[in-house]
């Protein structure tokens, strides 16, 4: 009898150990029948912008970790709302992951989608990344300089390109205008490629963009960074080491963007936990640090799991409610 009882205990412990190990290395643990087919990652913005760069790279890393592919799918429009509505229309089975940004919280605050809201419809998986805002001009001889932008005697209205109308880009620009006293007109575009084309052609004066989607264009010389919205200068990437920060210039604005993942609320808990663990595993891995965090993004890496991310989202809602709520 004792021998049989001991064997049962040892067998249970071995199952537990296998399940824990499998859960961490991306294989399917005992009793978990997920995933069995491709997982879609909905990127609610256009190709080439910051969220798309991040979403595609992270999808590739998750695909290498999981036993199935994670396929990025762009569903842009209405500052991220179209992608959220599309994700909400699909089954709550864990095979659809939605990438979110502050624009989705702002949409909740402004009640831009009367049919559903982010916090009521989805539950968090993980916050993975923060990103810096940078104010750019083009690199032509007659481009706007920082001195020209800061000139207190200037009455010129600057046109500034961005994405996500009524979202984080436009709100950040309005805060920058208030802080600097400059006249700044927001000009929305569908994608970062369209913005860069407009800036290089002189269609707009400036571009308020995120670092992750702009770094290669800084390095190629196509974009000239004027200011980083941050407390101090960035040590990395080295191309920004000499670029002044907003606070250094006397402007108390340090807005950053962030990116995370959610699934529908009705998704079974064991599937949500599985996905959250795999995202954590990838975010803490060397491949992510090399691909996305090697020289700039991990300066703001602030990983939060489901519970922490949920608390963070609710604080963000309160913050933007105070800032822009009506």
């Amino acid at each position: 009898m004792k021998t049989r009882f001991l064997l049962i205990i040892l067998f249970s412990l071995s199952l537990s150990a296998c399940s824990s190990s499998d859960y961490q290395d991306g294989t399917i643990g005992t009793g978990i029948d997920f995933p069995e087919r491709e997982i879609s990652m909905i990127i609610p913005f256009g190709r080439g912008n910051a969220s798309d760069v991040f979403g595609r790279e992270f999808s590739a890393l998750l695909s290498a970790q999981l036993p199935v592919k994670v396929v990025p799918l762009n569903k842009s429009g209405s500052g991220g709302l179209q992608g959220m509505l599309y994700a909400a229309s699909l089954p709550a089975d864990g095979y659809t992951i939605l990438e979110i940004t502050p624009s989705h919280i702002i949409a909740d605050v402004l009640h831009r989608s009367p049919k559903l809201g982010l916090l009521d419809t989805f539950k968090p998986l993980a916050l993975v990344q923060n990103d810096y805002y940078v104010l750019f001009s083009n690199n032509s001889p007659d481009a706007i300089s920082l001195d020209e932008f800061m000139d207190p005697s200037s009455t010129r209205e600057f046109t500034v390109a961005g994405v996500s109308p009524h979202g984080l880009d436009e709100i950040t620009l309005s805060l920058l205008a208030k802080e600097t006293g400059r006249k700044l007109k927001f000009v929305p575009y569908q994608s970062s490629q369209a913005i860069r084309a407009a800036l290089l052609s002189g269609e707009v004066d400036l571009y308020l963009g995120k670092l992750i989607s702009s770094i290669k264009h800084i390095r190629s010389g196509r974009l000239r960074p004027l200011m980083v919205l941050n407390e101090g200068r960035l040590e990395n990437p080295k191309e920004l080491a000499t670029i002044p920060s907003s606070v250094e210039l006397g402007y108390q604005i340090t807005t950053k963007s962030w990116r995370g993942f959610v699934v529908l609320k009705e998704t079974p808990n064991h599937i949500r936990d599985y996905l959250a663990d795999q995202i954590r595993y990838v975010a803490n891995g060397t491949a992510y640090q090399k691909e996305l965090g090697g020289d700039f993004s991990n300066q703001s890496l602030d990983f939060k799991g489901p519970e922490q991310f949920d608390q963070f989202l609710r604080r963000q809602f309160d913050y933007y409610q105070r800032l822009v709520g009506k």
Side-chain angles (χ1 to χ4, degrees):
M1 185 71 177
K2 289 183 178 180
T3 302
R4 183 183 178 187
F5 181 70
L6 180 59
L7 286 173
I8 291 173
I9 292 177
L10 289 174
F11 181 69
S12 299
L13 289 173
S14 67
L15 285 179
S16 176
C18 289
S19 177
S20 175
S21 174
D22 288 348
Y23 217 55
Q24 291 300 317
D25 67 10
T27 58
I28 302 175
T30 302
I32 300 175
D33 55 358
F34 177 89
E36 297 179 316
R37 55 182 172 84
E38 288 183 349
I39 296 172
S40 295
M41 179 180 289
I42 308 303
I43 301 172
F45 299 98
R47 292 291 298 267
N49 67 28
S51 295
D52 179 65
V53 172
F54 167 74
R56 288 184 175 277
E57 292 287 354
F58 207 86
S59 293
L61 294 172
L62 267 179
S63 293
Q65 169 69 13
L66 297 177
V68 299
K69 288 185 178 181
V70 178
V71 181
L73 179 62
N74 294 87
K75 290 289 182 180
S76 62
S78 303
L81 276 183
Q82 291 302 317
M84 185 178 77
L85 292 171
Y86 176 77
S89 71
L90 299 175
D93 54 10
Y95 287 99
T96 302
I97 298 173
L98 173 66
E99 179 186 354
I100 64 168
T101 73
S103 289
H104 294 94
I105 290 291
I106 293 167
D108 269 17
V109 169
L110 298 178
H111 305 290
R112 293 189 58 221
S113 176
K115 293 183 179 180
L116 60 88
L118 175 73
L119 297 179
D120 294 331
T121 310
F122 296 87
K123 55 185 178 182
L125 290 176
L127 171 68
V128 176
Q129 186 188 66
N130 290 313
D131 196 3
Y132 296 100
Y133 267 108
V134 182
L135 185 66
F136 296 100
S137 67
N138 66 43
N139 220 3
S140 65
D142 58 347
I144 305 297
S145 67
L146 180 61
D147 288 340
E148 186 175 357
F149 176 79
M150 295 181 61
D151 183 1
S153 65
S154 175
T155 59
R156 174 176 178 175
E157 180 182 68
F158 297 99
T159 53
V160 186
V163 295
S164 64
H166 309 295
L168 186 63
D169 284 8
E170 187 169 8
I171 288 173
T172 301
L173 186 68
S174 68
L175 293 174
L176 183 62
K178 182 178 180 181
E179 189 66 27
T180 61
R182 303 286 84 81
K183 296 179 180 179
L184 305 178
K185 180 182 179 181
F186 182 73
V187 183
Y189 288 84
Q190 286 293 322
S191 68
S192 294
Q193 295 102 315
I195 288 175
R196 288 188 290 270
L199 184 64
L200 294 174
S201 69
E203 186 177 310
V204 292
D205 300 316
L206 300 165
Y207 166 37
L208 184 65
K210 287 94 170 180
L211 181 55
I212 190 173
S213 60
S214 305
I215 182 62
K216 66 179 181 180
H217 302 288
I218 298 172
R219 288 171 173 163
S220 71
R222 292 185 176 184
L223 293 179
R224 180 194 300 175
L226 301 181
M227 174 198 318
V228 180
L229 302 192
N230 196 44
E231 292 82 0
R233 298 191 182 193
L234 303 181
E235 295 181 1
N236 292 307
K238 61 183 180 181
E239 291 84 359
L240 289 182
T242 61
I243 305 303
S245 72
S246 50
V247 173
E248 175 186 346
L249 295 172
Y251 307 137
Q252 301 302 313
I253 175 172
T254 59
T255 306
K256 296 178 179 65
S257 186
W258 48 259
R259 301 179 188 99
F261 302 111
V262 296
V263 291
L264 284 166
K265 259 188 176 176
E266 294 78 14
T267 303
N269 286 332
H270 74 282
I271 292 178
R272 184 187 74 150
D273 293 343
Y274 174 85
L275 289 171
D277 278 359
Q278 300 313 309
I279 291 171
R280 179 191 297 273
Y281 188 87
V282 170
N284 290 332
T286 56
Y288 173 78
Q289 300 299 324
K290 180 179 179 181
E291 293 294 329
L292 291 173
D295 62 357
F296 62 93
S297 295
N298 67 340
Q299 295 178 89
S300 291
L301 179 63
D302 184 20
F303 185 91
K304 298 183 189 302
E307 288 73 24
Q308 286 183 312
F309 191 21
D310 181 69
Q311 295 169 11
F312 172 83
L313 289 175
R314 296 182 188 283
R315 290 195 302 270
Q316 284 278 287
F317 182 91
D318 291 341
Y319 169 74
Y320 285 109
Q321 181 73 54
R322 295 191 301 270
L323 189 65
V324 299
K326 296 179 181 180

